[in-house]
Amino acid sequence: MTDDNPDKPAPLRIAVTGAPGTGRATVCTALALATGLDCASVSDGLVRPRTPRRLAETVDAAVRGFEQRVDGEARIPGSFLSDGSVLHEWAVAEATRRTKRLRHWALSPLDLPYRIFEERYLLAHHRIVARHAATTYDGFVHLRLPEDAEATADDARRTVVDRLLLDTLQQSSLPYLVVGGSLEQIVTHVTGMWQLPQRIPVGDAVSAALRAA
């Protein structure tokens, strides 16, 4: 049975992206509460490496995250918000690869085949996730990285994740919004730009999201 109602709005699928620590999950929760849209997300437990193998936190995690996100988002029939998007696990894996030079196995010549495979695999995986993102989402909201980043090794990786995501968004044909500020400012800006429905006041949604964080 098909829906022949021409006045029914098309589904709107917005991905909320950002480096770890930018508050992406809280933003997505607040937006979902304010608008009544479903929020698609992936549990860290489903993506976290299950073995100590060399490529577990890059190749394995990227594949597992992509599979979980594609499956979860396909189960939502209408409009939704994506907490991270299919780009997230790839960006984290690629940033990990680029910033792990001090790891003991990364310095061994015997591990050169692994490093070559890892680099080539993540390059090919990026093409897949970028193509899927372009056909799945209608736009992106990218949370700006705090200006004081890059003070530690972990912040350096976050900076690489941020740059990888922004570069991918700039290369796509989809609209994207780079936003920062308070949680209430972000939710107000996003709902206004995308003309999202409002189920409850933004202030109430923000308070509830902060309590749940």
Side-chain angles (χ1 to χ4, degrees):
M1 185 176 180
T2 60
D3 188 349
D4 297 323
N5 182 2
D7 297 323
K8 184 177 180 180
L12 185 62
R13 301 157 299 185
I14 304 299
V16 180
T17 69
T22 52
R24 192 187 62 250
T26 305
V27 169
C28 203
T29 299
L31 282 169
L33 291 170
T35 64
L37 300 181
D38 289 318
C39 182
S41 62
V42 172
S43 169
D44 288 341
L46 296 176
V47 180
R48 188 179 298 115
R50 301 173 183 175
T51 69
R53 294 188 305 173
R54 288 183 176 91
L55 304 182
E57 64 178 333
T58 52
V59 173
D60 290 358
V63 172
R64 192 176 300 115
F66 179 63
E67 291 175 344
Q68 294 292 337
R69 289 187 184 279
V70 170
D71 180 66
E73 293 174 2
R75 295 174 184 271
I76 302 176
S79 301
F80 66 79
L81 302 158
S82 175
D83 174 7
S85 88
V86 295
L87 301 175
H88 183 71
E89 281 73 34
W90 160 78
V92 171
E94 176 61 17
T96 299
R97 183 190 73 81
R98 295 187 185 188
T99 58
K100 66 182 178 183
R101 297 188 184 95
L102 298 181
R103 294 179 178 236
H104 67 281
W105 69 267
L107 299 177
S108 170
L110 296 178
D111 290 300
L112 181 59
Y114 291 98
R115 299 203 300 273
I116 292 174
F117 173 81
E118 183 183 51
E119 179 179 7
R120 292 178 178 175
Y121 180 88
L122 289 175
L123 179 62
H125 188 62
H126 175 238
R127 298 191 189 103
I128 294 172
V129 297
R131 186 163 55 244
H132 184 84
T135 58
T136 299
Y137 309 119
D138 298 300
F140 291 85
V141 174
H142 183 77
L143 302 180
R144 187 178 295 117
L145 196 65
E147 294 181 359
D148 59 351
E150 226 171 341
T152 67
D154 192 54
D155 284 334
R157 189 179 74 147
R158 292 171 62 209
T159 300
V160 176
V161 172
D162 183 70
R163 187 70 263 161
L164 290 168
L165 290 170
L166 280 173
D167 287 347
T168 301
L169 296 183
Q170 290 166 2
Q171 293 165 10
S172 77
S173 60
L174 293 174
Y176 67 93
L177 169 69
V178 180
V179 64
S182 69
L183 181 56
E184 186 162 355
Q185 289 173 329
I186 292 172
V187 173
T188 300
H189 196 167
V190 172
T191 54
M193 175 179 174
W194 295 102
Q195 297 184 335
L196 299 176
Q198 183 170 328
R199 187 180 67 173
I200 65 173
V202 170
D204 293 345
V206 166
S207 296
L210 290 174
R211 288 196 300 270

